[in-house]
Amino acid sequence: MTDAHAELAELATALRPALLRLTRVIRAQRADMSITLTKLSALATLYQRGPMSAGELAAQERVQPPSMTKVIAGLEASGYVYRETDPADRRQSILAVTQAGADLLEEERRSRDAWLTGHLGVLTPAERNAIAAAIPALAKLADS
Amino acid sequence: MTDAHAELAELATALRPALLRLTRVIRAQRADMSITLTKLSALATLYQRGPMSAGELAAQERVQPPSMTKVIAGLEASGYVYRETDPADRRQSILAVTQAGADLLEEERRSRDAWLTGHLGVLTPAERNAIAAAIPALAKLADS
DNA sequence: TATTGTTATACTCTATAACTATA
DNA sequence: TATAGTTATAGAGTATAACAATA
């Protein structure tokens, strides 16, 4: 007789190290690049989803507000994002990506030596399809 | 005409935030547990793969040796691993999981409220299958 | 009072460089 | 000399608690 919980625990046990190690590898590969993975991710989200407040961006990225404050400060200092006080609620600022930020994202996307893009090319089409098919479920897990 | 590189870049762009956010959520959920995700992962690897040296464990976990030194020190202090000097090469120690370490892993696996296990249960069977199918490809990426 | 964001502080994770012990 | 591991040091990432400004 099948134990459903044991099966889920098995899946969790297999998934956890795969996520952790791959994230480590991706971070390490970025060590000598212009911005870190954390900053790149926040910048990409802001670009894709459009201008938003610091709190909204923190929620999107699944970090606490003080963590996002530091990430934004770095992106702002580098000239990749700017902010304007929301006239409707002066506690908030609306963040947006600058042209330099958009250029950086485009460069990252296009770059032939971007590690993850290059290594995805080493996988078989079936393996890439398997990853593509799993992304919505992984995103749903992060949301739940 | 299809640009293969652009497609890979798209996949990378979708995968990266999913990995990063899910890893953040999993780490955050462990905040009040007995050991951190990094230590749990190293302990689980040592248990599954069997006794090995510190250098081997670092390579398995995709971290540099000094990082693993600290992880091992914590696990040893907690009584979850022990080491014995390799008689054939006295520079190395062979690490192994103690009974307390094995008990902890069993407890983690069994625990009904382990976050990841619980939340995998919320996914549909098709979503879980998609994740299970992607794990080997994710592991291959981390290896490549 | 409640909400948004920041500052202050601290801990975990991880790396590189330099060193020690052994081979 | 070369290798395995540790120590020293530093930076990134992240959190909680306390605070300030605004609603």
Side-chain angles (χ1 to χ4, degrees), chain A residues 115-126:
Chain A
W115 185 90
L116 185 53
T117 300
H119 281 67
L120 283 166
V122 173
L123 299 181
T124 67

Side-chain angles (χ1 to χ4, degrees), chain A residues 14-30:
Chain A
L15 178 60
R16 220 163 27 192
L19 290 176
L20 189 59
R21 290 172 198 168
L22 185 50
T23 303
R24 279 176 182 149
V25 170
I26 294 172
R27 262 189 212 285
Q29 291 295 333
R30 295 198 60 77

Side-chain angles (χ1 to χ4, degrees), chain A residues 11 14-15 18 22 123 127 130-131, chain B residues 129-143:
Chain A
L11 180 54
L15 178 60
L22 185 50
L123 299 181
E127 287 169 332
I131 288 177
Chain B
N129 286 341
I131 289 177
I135 290 174
L138 295 174
K140 184 174 171 184
L141 265 184
D143 277 339

Side-chain angles (χ1 to χ4, degrees), chain A residues 24 53-55 65-66 69-70 83 89 91-93:
Chain A
R24 279 176 182 149
S53 71
T69 293
K70 287 179 81 170
R83 68 176 76 204
D89 180 347
R91 291 173 303 185
Q92 301 186 113
S93 293

Side-chain angles (χ1 to χ4, degrees), chain B residues 17-90:
Chain B
L19 288 176
L20 189 59
R21 289 171 199 170
L22 185 51
T23 303
R24 279 175 182 149
V25 170
I26 293 172
R27 260 188 214 285
Q29 290 297 332
R30 295 200 58 78
D32 48 0
M33 309 237 169
S34 51
I35 62 170
T36 65
L37 183 59
T38 295
K39 285 175 186 163
L40 177 65
S41 182
L43 185 63
T45 296
L46 192 57
Y47 185 75
Q48 285 160 23
R49 304 289 179 109
M52 67 181 80
S53 71
E56 286 173 303
L57 188 52
Q60 285 283 335
E61 290 290 300
R62 317 281 180 252
V63 296
Q64 293 300 309
S67 302
M68 188 50 67
T69 293
K70 288 182 81 170
V71 173
I72 292 167
L75 290 172
E76 217 180 351
S78 302
Y80 298 137
V81 308
Y82 70 98
R83 68 175 76 201
E84 278 176 4
T85 301
D86 183 346
D89 180 347
R90 297 215 318 282

